[in-house]
Amino acid sequence: MDRPPVKLGVMISGSGTNLQAIIDAILRGDLKAEIRLVISNRADAQGLERARRHGIQTQVIEHRKFPTREDFDRAVLATLNQRSVELVICAGFMRLFSAVMLDAFPGRIMNIHPGLSPAFPGIHAQRDALELGVKIAGCTVFFVTAGVDVGPIILQAAVPVLPGDDESRLAARILQQEHRILPHAIRLFQQGRLEIEGRRVIVKGEPGGTHPPPLINPPID
Ligand code: GAR
């Protein structure tokens, strides 16, 4: 079935490379989506410039100007509704939503997290992974629910932790994969292939017989 482009509202706080990955996927024709607007909670977020460069509407809604989380969320919600947004994408958005947003967009808020959930929730996932000495790190796209990085998982990508890694090298390796899985998760949503069953997301129409190879790290020689 030929479904219409999904109308996105993208939330950012920083450099916006994940936003750029979404824009690029749309421009390549890999993703049927329209970014209706980009909202940043910080006026100096670099991602705002990326959006403007592509003629995408932007709005700065600074959380500090609101007395409560709920008040901030109400302002965000009103702006998203004005632009008829169907799916909210948190692309490096460093705030937690309250019930105001969660109830307005049930199963329609996605987040990208630089850790293999449920391990390492929070804002230092890469550092925590390094400190705990894991051999495999990665990233997760999930549907946002109440709690920190705990919602139903849509897809994940794994990368090896390599000798000599520091936080920034590991973060960069993970970020490359974020740029692949976030647009893909949005594509699955647009195609109507994501179904939430309790804590699990069922991805309908997965290609049969083609499973990724196991990642063993350090490799067996
Ligand atoms: C990304 O690594 C994203 O996973 C992370 O912030 C970075 C934003 O990069 N998000 C979180 O930690 C959310 N809790 P970007 O602004 O270049 O897309």
Side-chain angles (χ1 to χ4, degrees), residues 12-19 50 91-94 111-114 122-123 126 149 171 174-175 178-179:
I12 62 166
S13 300
S15 64
T17 64
N18 277 291
L19 165 66
R50 294 178 188 274
F93 177 59
M94 300 309 219
N111 193 6
I112 176 83
H113 174 64
I123 58 170
Q126 304 98 325
D149 301 327
I174 293 171
L175 193 61
E178 295 184 34
H179 297 162

Side-chain angles (χ1 to χ4, degrees), residues 17-34:
T17 64
N18 277 291
L19 165 66
Q20 189 70 55
I22 298 167
I23 294 171
D24 293 345
I26 294 171
L27 291 177
R28 280 197 311 272
D30 287 346
L31 175 60
K32 273 181 78 174
E34 182 195 348

Side-chain angles (χ1 to χ4, degrees), residues 25 40 48 66-67 107 112 116 138 141 162 181 211 221:
S40 174
L48 288 167
F66 295 86
I112 176 83
L116 281 180
V141 185
L162 298 179
I181 66 173
H211 299 294
D221 45 32

Side-chain angles (χ1 to χ4, degrees), residues 49-207:
E49 189 44 43
R50 294 178 188 274
R52 291 185 193 121
R53 220 181 292 144
H54 291 277
I56 298 167
Q57 185 170 330
T58 61
Q59 180 111 17
V60 175
I61 305 179
E62 286 177 292
H63 62 276
R64 288 199 190 99
K65 299 205 167 141
F66 295 86
T68 68
R69 200 175 284 281
E70 285 76 12
D71 289 322
F72 170 75
D73 280 11
R74 271 188 277 276
V76 169
L77 178 58
T79 310
L80 294 171
N81 283 339
Q82 271 165 19
R83 302 292 295 156
S84 308
V85 165
E86 296 167 326
L87 178 66
V88 180
I89 307 296
C90 298
F93 177 59
M94 300 309 219
R95 304 284 306 164
L96 292 178
F97 280 136
S98 71
V100 170
M101 274 294 292
L102 300 178
D103 292 348
F105 285 96
R108 291 192 293 133
I109 305 176
M110 277 185 195
N111 193 6
I112 176 83
H113 174 64
L116 281 180
S117 299
F120 310 123
I123 58 170
H124 298 296
Q126 304 98 325
R127 189 167 82 195
D128 295 345
L130 270 180
E131 278 176 6
L132 264 285
V134 300
K135 302 298 185 200
I136 293 174
C139 48
T140 302
V141 185
F142 64 98
F143 283 116
V144 176
T145 55
V148 181
D149 301 327
V150 290
I153 293 168
I154 302 166
L155 74 158
Q156 298 184 298
V159 301
V161 178
L162 298 179
D165 267 357
D166 57 15
E167 195 180 336
S168 76
R169 284 179 55 166
L170 178 61
R173 190 173 310 119
I174 293 171
L175 193 61
Q176 282 187 341
Q177 303 310 315
E178 295 184 34
H179 297 162
R180 298 175 68 196
I181 66 173
L182 182 58
H184 184 55
I186 301 168
R187 182 187 308 124
L188 292 171
F189 183 96
Q190 186 273 329
Q191 293 173 340
R193 292 172 58 194
L194 299 180
E195 218 166 75
I196 302 175
E197 272 184 17
R199 290 185 58 94
R200 304 197 312 164
V201 176
I202 312 298
V203 181
K204 293 185 284 183
E206 279 184 272

